Amino acid sequence: PSEYWKIVVLWVFLDANGKSTRWPDFEAFIAEYRLGFGLSLSSGIAQRFSEAIVAVFRNRLDEIEEPIMNEVLASQPTSEKAEWIRHRRELSVVTGKKEDRLYAIKIYTDDPAITAVGHERLIRAIEVWKGVVSDYNLRTAIARKRQIGPIVIWLGFHFFSILGKIIVPDAKRKR
C-alpha cells in the first residue's frame, strides 16, 4: 500500500490548434508517488486527509465529552444545561448528525481552528489535538504561528469571538 500512486496525470499532446496529435493513443501517463506542489488537485487531496484527521479528533473528544454531558443530565435534570442537551440530542435524531457538541473544529488544508465553550473544554480539546498530532506523526505550525484566545486570525480573517464578529481586512477583501 505504501507504493500506491498518489496521482496520475494524463499527458495529452496537442498541436497549435489545441487538437490531440495522438488521439486515441495516449502515450503519456505520469504516476506520482508523492503529493507534489503546483497541481490544483494537491490541495483537494490534502483537504480530504485533513478532514479525516478532524474526524479522528471529533471521535476522541466526543468520547470524553459524552460522560460529562450525561453527568449534567443525571445531576441537574431540570437545569437549562440539561434541557439544552436533551433538545440537541433530539435534533441529532432528526439530522443524523451529532448536534450536542460544545466545541467546533474547522480545518483548511493544514490550518485548523478549534473553538470550545469554557476553558476546561478548550484544554481537553487541545490535549486531544496534541494526541492526534502525535499519533499520526504530524508536524504543526511553529510556535509563533499558534494562537489561543478570544481574538485570533485564521485564514486572513480576524475573529472576535467575544463580540461575535469577523473582520475581513481590506487586503483580503480586494483579492
Side-chain angles (χ1 to χ4, degrees):
S2 65
E3 296 302 315
Y4 286 170
W5 47 268
K6 305 294 188 262
I7 188 170
V8 172
V9 177
L10 171 61
W11 197 270
V12 180
F13 296 89
L14 302 176
D15 63 19
N17 298 317
K19 304 285 185 195
S20 174
T21 60
R22 300 188 181 186
W23 179 265
D25 300 319
F26 298 109
E27 295 184 11
F29 285 96
I30 302 167
E32 291 287 344
Y33 295 96
R34 69 183 70 90
L35 188 61
F37 291 98
L39 298 170
S40 61
L41 215 47
S42 296
S43 62
I45 294 168
Q47 185 65 36
R48 287 190 293 278
F49 173 74
S50 296
E51 293 294 341
I53 293 296
V54 164
V56 170
F57 170 85
R58 285 187 184 118
N59 287 339
R60 290 183 184 184
L61 190 51
D62 288 347
E63 284 181 23
I64 295 168
E65 290 290 307
E66 190 75 18
I68 295 167
M69 301 276 228
N70 290 340
E71 176 59 29
V72 170
L73 291 171
S75 65
Q76 307 168 39
T78 60
S79 69
E80 287 184 19
K81 289 179 185 178
E83 181 58 35
W84 184 89
I85 294 167
R86 281 191 294 276
H87 175 73
R88 299 303 292 188
R89 288 184 175 175
E90 289 169 7
L91 183 60
S92 294
V93 173
V94 174
T95 66
K97 299 177 183 177
K98 185 146 179 64
E99 301 283 359
D100 64 345
R101 290 184 175 119
L102 288 169
Y103 72 90
I105 180 169
K106 301 292 182 188
I107 194 163
Y108 182 74
T109 310
D110 64 344
D111 201 354
I114 300 169
T115 58
V117 176
H119 67 278
E120 291 175 355
R121 185 168 286 106
L122 181 60
I123 290 168
R124 288 192 295 271
I126 291 169
E127 289 171 345
V128 169
W129 182 252
K130 181 181 173 188
V132 170
V133 166
S134 175
D135 290 349
Y136 286 88
N137 199 24
L138 303 173
R139 286 192 308 177
T140 60
I142 58 175
R144 152 174 83 79
K145 288 186 167 186
R146 298 178 199 152
Q147 305 172 70
I148 190 168
I151 302 169
V152 297
I153 299 170
W154 186 58
L155 305 177
F157 298 95
H158 299 244
F159 290 81
F160 294 82
S161 62
I162 212 161
L163 301 173
K165 303 277 185 194
I166 300 173
I167 293 178
V168 182
D170 285 342
K172 183 81 171 173
R173 196 171 33 83
K174 291 177 182 176
R175 282 192 207 172

